[in-house]
Amino acid sequence: MGEFHDTLESRDPAERERALLSALPGQVAFAQANAPAFAEILAEVDAAAVVSREALARLPVTRKSELLALQIQRRAGDPFGGFAAVTRGPAMPRVFASPGPLYEPEGVHADHWRMARSLFAAGFRSGHLVHNSFSYHMTPAGAMMESGARALGCSVFPAGTGQTEQQVEAMADLRPDGYIGTPSFLKILLEKAAELNKPLPFLTKALVSGEAFPPSLRDWIAAHGVQGLQCYATADLGLIAYETEPREGLVLDEGVLVEIVRPGTGDPVPDGEVGEVVVTTFDRTYPLVRFGTGDLSAILPGPCPTGRTNRRIRGWLGRADQTTKVRGMFVHPGQVAEVVKRFPEVARARLVVEGEMGADRMTLRVECASPPVGLEQRVADALREVTKLRGEVVVVGPGELANDGKVIEDARSYR
């Protein structure tokens, strides 16, 4: 407790907020001037006026699907779709691809993806040898983690994926201090080591990512001598949040501004409510302003027990894109939000789609403390106007809808 990667982690929360907000106008202006896509997306925005979270919330959210569509549309002239602020050459030493494919540039500065902070929290230190089992082929995961480890002063064995037996042999010979990779592959390596009678007592720590890390798997790995912590990062944004030793949520990275918004909209939700993670970075290679990750999470109350003062999120809670086809028509979370906005007395809503395939029924459940007479019919009329589909409306009391980020619940039977 009390050991931090740098002084930023323990600074006063008000000081951190001032620093983030003071950097916002410059980053918005930079994106407008240097990333052609944001010159269009933010064309009507006065960058100098974006000095608060409220002002930021008025800017459009650019979601991953939209970024991919723009990349595909403009690929002949610019494979980055106008989102990169640098061009090929010395300012862009490497280019990576993620599924889609999405192409991401790497910048020149050390620890471009800011991963060192999460590695430090997981116990990695200068002089350690890191066994890196993230892919080095096309995708950036291996390079993301290696850049962070090298920034800490660690040596790295670039194991990559596959070749399980050879990886265990290398571990037995090199005696790494820790592992980086997916938690499921770490389990495979530990099982293979036991099968080969190659004990790995020196392997005591791990930073895992890329997939869910449920308590059952965490406990299994711990029973084999490895304490694993997780981080939340993407190829577009780098590190977003990281776990600390108490395992009470994930602490937000110091280099991003994170909002939690209602799925399908850009509207921030109250702390504690599940919504989509939207991130603004301060990177000058690939500046992303209000980038919608498509992931669900929620802000946790209170500070981290380690003394880190940044806000915490609950971790990955599912996907925010809940677009559903009903009677041959697509219904989007944004359409549900549009209906709700017409009725100030409605706090939240959840569209439940039920029935056997081909016989869909829609029910919009809305939270309202004191429903006025005729509310159900008026909301039903608005639902039909917005979605072009009929649906029943049921009014429930405040807090009766589950806090799981779902705006559309597909409860149909597909058997």
Side-chain angles (χ1 to χ4, degrees):
M1 303 296 184
E3 188 178 16
F4 308 118
H5 177 56
D6 56 27
T7 58
L8 296 178
E9 294 182 354
S10 59
R11 58 183 162 166
D12 182 86
E15 177 189 344
R16 176 183 295 107
E17 187 73 356
R18 284 194 298 271
L20 289 172
L21 295 179
S22 66
L24 259 183
Q27 184 67 0
V28 172
F30 179 86
Q32 289 173 317
N34 295 277
F38 277 114
E40 296 178 14
I41 293 168
L42 306 175
E44 305 301 320
V45 173
D46 176 8
V50 187
V51 294
S52 66
R53 286 182 178 264
E54 293 73 22
L56 180 64
R58 290 192 285 270
L59 272 54
V61 172
T62 299
R63 292 185 163 82
K64 197 163 207 165
S65 58
E66 296 167 327
L67 188 152
L68 175 59
L70 281 171
Q71 279 202 2
I72 293 172
Q73 176 186 333
R74 303 176 178 184
R75 193 150 284 169
D78 177 4
F80 304 107
F83 288 92
V86 296
T87 57
R88 293 185 297 183
M92 189 188 294
R94 288 188 289 190
V95 174
F96 296 98
S98 295
L102 272 169
Y103 296 109
E104 298 104 2
E106 180 187 49
V108 295
H109 53 282
D111 196 16
H112 170 75
W113 288 277
R114 310 176 314 282
M115 299 304 303
R117 191 176 304 282
S118 60
L119 285 158
F120 188 92
F124 292 87
R125 298 293 183 269
S126 179
H128 285 173
L129 174 62
V130 176
H131 187 95
N132 186 4
S133 283
F134 273 117
S135 175
Y136 279 81
H137 175 64
M138 296 183 71
T139 63
M144 289 172 71
M145 291 296 187
E146 178 167 321
S147 65
R150 292 176 62 183
L152 277 184
C154 298
S155 297
V156 178
F157 180 71
T161 57
Q163 299 178 298
T164 307
E165 188 167 329
Q166 292 93 325
Q167 292 209 31
V168 170
E169 294 283 354
M171 284 178 157
D173 292 340
L174 294 171
R175 303 173 63 84
D177 300 276
Y179 164 93
I180 301 174
T182 64
S184 60
F185 192 63
L186 175 56
K187 182 175 186 289
I188 290 170
L189 289 175
L190 292 171
E191 289 173 334
K192 178 61 71 173
E195 177 189 322
L196 298 174
N197 194 27
K198 297 271 188 183
L200 308 174
F202 39 82
L203 193 73
T204 59
K205 60 183 67 68
L207 179 67
V208 300
S209 192
E211 61 188 25
F213 190 35
S216 58
L217 181 54
R218 179 196 67 201
D219 294 344
W220 187 96
I221 289 171
H224 287 73
V226 183
Q227 296 300 316
L229 296 179
Q230 61 184 314
C231 70
Y232 170 35
T234 73
D236 324 273
L237 301 161
L239 182 65
I240 299 171
Y242 59 97
E243 196 171 28
T244 60
E245 190 177 347
R247 296 190 175 92
E248 296 183 10
L250 277 66
V251 179
L252 295 180
D253 178 49
E254 298 291 330
V256 293
L257 194 158
V258 172
E259 304 167 89
I260 307 293
V261 309
R262 186 155 286 112
T265 77
D267 303 331
V269 299
D271 287 358
E273 185 172 326
V274 176
E276 182 183 7
V277 179
V278 169
V279 182
T280 296
T281 70
F282 297 90
D283 178 58
R284 291 300 176 96
T285 299
Y286 200 50
L288 293 175
V289 178
R290 297 206 87 201
F291 183 73
T293 63
D295 296 325
L296 294 174
S297 194
I299 296 291
L300 281 173
C304 177
T306 63
R308 291 172 173 84
T309 57
N310 208 344
R311 307 177 93 193
R312 297 174 299 153
I313 58 174
R314 284 175 55 188
W316 187 81
L317 300 176
R319 293 293 295 169
D321 185 6
Q322 299 154 25
T323 298
T324 303
K325 184 174 279 190
V326 182
R327 298 175 220 149
M329 301 275 288
F330 281 109
V331 181
H332 308 272
Q335 292 175 304
V336 178
E338 183 180 339
V339 172
V340 172
K341 283 181 179 178
R342 299 185 181 189
F343 303 93
E345 60 269 45
V346 172
R348 290 197 300 155
R350 184 187 191 106
L351 185 68
V352 181
V353 184
E354 300 171 289
E356 301 294 327
M357 193 184 316
D360 304 328
R361 301 189 309 274
M362 291 199 322
T363 303
L364 185 65
R365 297 169 60 83
V366 298
E367 285 187 1
C368 184
S370 301
V373 175
L375 177 66
E376 291 95 335
Q377 186 58 53
R378 289 188 290 115
V379 174
D381 291 343
L383 179 66
R384 185 179 182 186
E385 180 183 337
V386 171
T387 66
K388 312 306 179 189
L389 295 165
R390 291 182 184 273
E392 183 184 357
V393 174
V394 174
V395 177
V396 300
E400 288 192 35
L401 297 181
N403 181 23
D404 56 8
K406 282 190 177 180
V407 175
I408 301 177
E409 177 185 353
D410 190 345
R412 289 172 290 192
S413 172
Y414 291 94
R415 292 179 297 174

